[in-house]
């Protein structure tokens, strides 16, 4: 590449002055000295134009519709597409390995079931001397076969209810134990992982489709958001209290990926609003809260209450598959309490400590509760026997209005 005669460095761009039918070859220092940084529509990057002719063509005096399309398609680069293709090939191969492993486990599982069932039936045949019945059926010369079969059945009933009863009960117990101990292929975590991956895959494919065809007006549907903790049905119940279908739903924090600690938490939520927080305890109790208020990490050791003027904040506890809601009271009380020394605090009704793994629920302060002080046993029942929390998972979803 030629050198700039003024600054003695590499020429990187062409400055187009088409109104005067002139061009200048300039370096980065020329751009700074001559204040050309604001005239990007007239600067052609030489390195880019080698791979993308539209880098030059889109900045010439051509038909506006062509100019507009070429300007948009500049964002789609071949190198980026190659990198994305390679990355997704690797991720899809990992999913294939996961499916292949599940296929092998499935074959082993059903083979083992068949083996145990066959062994059980062989054992049962031996105990009840079933070969005698088989012989009766096969013997075409047997006189009065029906009577012989009835006699065999009576003999069988007497033996099963008497001396062979223990043998059969032991055989059944042994069979049940072996079936119970047969390893069942686990699909829950795999399903969540594959679903998440396929949702991301669908999104990236849609994004690149629009990137390479910017004038495409087709409304390409994006896959529904999948929670890592809640069932799809209960997630929709929560979201229906918060947003309409046009709002964007995105996960901003997941403890299993970012770590279950207060630093990861605040790095994810700081200065963000409209957050739905979902927690799961070690005894499988799911609970959490939503508020439109902004979460801010305070820089000094203090507490600050934030009021919810919309009165849309709420807490929830999942009891079995049923969700129980606790909306904020119509009182002037803070929906959330910010503190530099702890995790999230929903009006002192749901307090998560600084380790993000312990805390407590004390309903009725700021959020409505039909659980009276004399009925605390109901609350303990919802929480699995305790109001002291032992958290092992957390997911935070942002609703973008």
């Amino acid at each position: 590449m030629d050198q700039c005669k003024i600054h003695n460095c590499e020429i990187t761009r062409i400055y187009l002055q088409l109104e005067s039918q002139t061009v200048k070859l300039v370096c980065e220092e020329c751009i700074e000295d001559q204040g050309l940084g604001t005239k990007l529509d007239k600067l052609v990057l030489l390195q880019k134009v080698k791979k993308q002719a539209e880098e030059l063509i889109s900045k010439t005096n051509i038909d506006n519709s062509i100019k507009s399309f070429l300007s948009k398609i500049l964002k789609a680069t071949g190198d980026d597409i190659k990198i994305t293709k390679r990355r997704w090939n690797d991720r899809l191969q990992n999913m294939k390995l996961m499916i292949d492993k599940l296929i092998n486990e499935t074959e082993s599982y059903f083979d083992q079931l068949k083996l145990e069932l066959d062994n059980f039936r062989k054992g049962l045949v031996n105990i009840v001397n079933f070969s005698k019945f088989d012989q009766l059926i096969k013997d075409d010369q047997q006189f009065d076969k029906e009577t012989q079969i009835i006699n065999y059945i009576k003999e069988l009933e007497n033996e099963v209810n008497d001396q062979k009863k223990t043998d059969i009960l032991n055989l059944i117990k042994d069979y049940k134990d072996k079936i119970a101990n047969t390893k069942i292929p686990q699909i829950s975590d795999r399903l969540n992982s594959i679903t998440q991956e396929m949702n991301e895959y669908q999104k990236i494919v849609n994004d690149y489709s629009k990137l390479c065809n910017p004038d495409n007006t087709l409304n390409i549907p994006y896959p529904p958001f999948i929670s890592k903790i809640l069932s799809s049905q209960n997630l929709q119940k929560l979201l229906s209290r918060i947003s309409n279908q046009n709002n964007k739903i995105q996960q901003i924090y997941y403890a299993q990926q970012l770590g279950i600690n207060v630093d990861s938490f605040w790095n994810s939520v700081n200065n963000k609003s409209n957050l739905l927080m979902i927690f799961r305890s070690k005894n499988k109790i799911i609970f959490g809260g939503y508020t439109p208020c902004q979460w801010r990490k305070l820089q000094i050791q203090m507490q600050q209450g934030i009021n919810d003027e919309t009165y849309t904040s709420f807490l929830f506890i999942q009891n079995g598959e049923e969700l129980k809601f606790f909306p904020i009271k119509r009182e002037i009380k803070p929906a959330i309490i910010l503190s530099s020394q702890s995790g999230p605090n929903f009006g002192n009704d749901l307090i998560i400590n600084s380790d993000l793994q312990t805390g407590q629920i004390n309903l009725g302060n700021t959020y409505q509760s039909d659980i009276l002080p004399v009925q605390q046993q109901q609350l303990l029942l919802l929480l699995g026997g305790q109001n002291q929390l032992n958290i092992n998972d957390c997911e935070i979803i942002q609703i973008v209005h």
Side-chain angles (χ1 to χ4, degrees):
M1 186 66 67
D2 293 341
Q3 298 289 309
C4 174
K5 295 179 180 178
I6 300 175
H7 301 103
N8 196 30
C9 56
E10 184 181 20
I11 290 174
T12 57
R13 302 177 190 250
I14 301 174
Y15 175 44
L16 302 177
Q17 296 172 291
L18 300 180
E19 62 278 358
S20 59
Q21 296 293 301
T22 59
V23 298
K24 284 185 180 179
L25 298 175
V26 294
C27 67
E28 296 302 311
E29 290 189 36
C30 289
I31 293 172
E32 185 176 346
D33 290 349
Q34 298 175 37
L36 301 178
T38 59
K39 300 180 179 180
L40 295 179
D41 60 322
K42 297 182 177 182
L43 290 171
V44 176
L45 187 60
L46 292 175
Q47 194 66 30
K48 193 171 185 178
V49 79
K50 293 177 182 178
K51 296 182 178 180
Q52 296 172 253
E54 65 268 23
E55 169 71 6
L56 171 64
I57 300 171
S58 65
K59 293 171 183 176
T60 60
N61 294 325
I62 57 174
D63 178 84
N64 283 336
S65 63
I66 298 175
K67 187 183 184 79
S68 174
F69 181 81
L70 294 180
S71 298
K72 294 173 186 175
I73 207 171
L74 268 171
K75 298 176 182 178
T77 69
D79 289 343
D80 186 38
I81 290 174
K82 284 181 182 178
I83 292 170
T84 303
K85 182 189 76 171
R86 187 162 56 246
R87 182 170 66 246
W88 273 102
N89 275 343
D90 292 341
R91 290 174 72 167
L92 290 170
Q93 285 297 328
N94 288 335
M95 280 189 275
K96 181 178 179 296
L97 291 174
M98 194 183 301
I99 295 295
D100 288 343
K101 186 177 180 182
L102 179 59
I103 290 172
N104 291 333
E105 290 179 9
T106 300
E107 289 181 353
S108 298
Y109 172 69
F110 286 106
D111 287 347
Q112 188 66 30
L113 288 185
K114 184 178 182 303
L115 176 64
E116 299 300 345
L117 189 58
D118 289 345
N119 289 338
F120 171 78
R121 286 171 175 157
K122 288 177 184 177
L124 187 61
V125 164
N126 291 333
I127 291 173
V128 300
N129 193 18
F130 201 71
S131 58
K132 183 178 180 180
F133 173 78
D134 193 40
Q135 186 177 358
L136 285 173
I137 296 297
K138 291 180 179 178
D139 190 355
D140 294 332
Q141 307 300 319
Q142 181 71 42
F143 176 73
D144 197 8
K145 183 180 290 189
E146 289 83 357
T147 302
Q148 294 295 324
I149 291 174
I150 286 294
N151 291 337
Y152 169 80
I153 292 174
K154 288 180 180 179
E155 181 183 337
L156 174 66
E157 289 174 344
N158 290 332
E159 290 179 345
V160 168
N161 290 323
D162 191 11
Q163 70 265 30
K164 293 187 177 180
K165 179 178 179 180
T166 300
D167 292 340
I168 293 178
L169 288 175
N170 288 337
L171 179 68
I172 291 173
K173 181 181 181 303
D174 182 61
Y175 171 73
K176 286 181 176 180
D177 289 343
K178 287 179 176 177
I179 293 297
N181 292 327
T182 300
K183 187 177 180 181
I184 298 174
Q186 299 298 311
I187 65 167
S188 179
D189 291 342
R190 287 165 170 158
L191 181 61
N192 287 337
S193 176
I194 290 174
T195 301
Q196 190 75 17
E197 285 285 275
M198 293 312 298
N199 284 341
E200 290 183 33
Y201 173 77
Q202 184 65 67
K203 182 179 183 303
I204 205 74
V205 168
N206 291 349
D207 288 345
Y208 272 87
S209 177
K210 290 184 177 181
L211 187 65
C212 291
N213 187 7
D215 289 340
N216 186 0
T217 57
L218 291 176
N219 185 19
I220 303 174
Y222 281 84
F225 178 84
I226 304 295
S227 170
K228 297 284 190 179
I229 298 177
L230 281 169
S231 66
S232 297
Q233 182 180 5
N234 280 344
L235 176 63
Q236 289 307 311
K237 287 180 182 178
L238 289 173
L239 294 177
S240 67
R241 297 178 68 97
I242 300 169
S243 65
N244 59 52
Q245 294 182 345
N246 295 323
N247 292 332
K248 182 181 178 183
I249 312 299
Q250 60 186 17
Q251 182 194 79
I252 63 170
Y253 172 79
Y254 181 47
Q256 300 300 320
Q257 294 175 342
L258 300 176
I260 186 163
N261 59 73
V262 75
D263 289 335
S264 296
F265 167 80
W266 280 114
N267 288 339
S268 300
V269 308
N270 194 31
N271 295 322
K272 291 186 173 67
S273 307
N274 302 308
L275 301 187
L276 172 63
M277 300 189 182
I278 306 166
F279 301 91
R280 179 166 53 199
S281 66
K282 288 186 177 178
N283 57 353
K284 307 299 183 185
I285 305 301
I286 297 174
F287 58 93
Y290 164 79
T291 182
C293 302
Q294 185 183 60
W295 295 89
R296 288 183 291 107
K297 183 178 181 181
L298 303 181
Q299 300 303 315
I300 56 177
Q301 295 186 10
M302 61 173 289
Q303 287 190 342
Q304 180 183 358
I306 307 295
N307 293 343
D308 176 9
E309 297 180 357
T310 66
Y311 295 102
T312 56
S313 298
F314 63 84
L315 301 179
F316 71 91
I317 299 175
Q318 180 174 303
N319 182 23
E321 278 301 311
E322 180 184 357
L323 288 176
K324 191 167 183 64
F325 292 96
F326 306 94
I328 193 168
K329 295 179 179 179
R330 291 263 173 184
E331 299 175 6
I332 304 177
K333 288 186 177 182
I336 60 174
I337 299 173
L338 305 177
S339 171
S340 59
Q341 301 297 308
S342 71
N345 181 335
F346 285 83
N348 284 328
D349 285 35
L350 171 58
I351 304 170
I352 309 298
N353 297 332
S354 58
D355 59 4
L356 217 69
Q357 299 178 48
T358 58
Q360 56 185 315
I361 292 182
N362 300 296
L363 294 170
N365 297 306
T366 305
Y367 292 82
Q368 297 177 28
S369 172
D370 54 6
I371 301 175
L372 303 175
V374 295
Q375 297 173 313
Q376 281 300 308
Q377 199 62 31
Q378 294 181 24
L379 174 60
L380 295 181
L381 215 60
L382 284 173
L383 296 172
Q386 57 183 4
N387 71 335
Q388 296 297 316
L389 306 173
N390 197 351
I391 300 166
N392 69 348
D393 207 357
C394 173
E395 178 180 37
I396 301 175
I397 297 168
Q398 184 176 32
I399 294 89
V400 183
H401 296 290

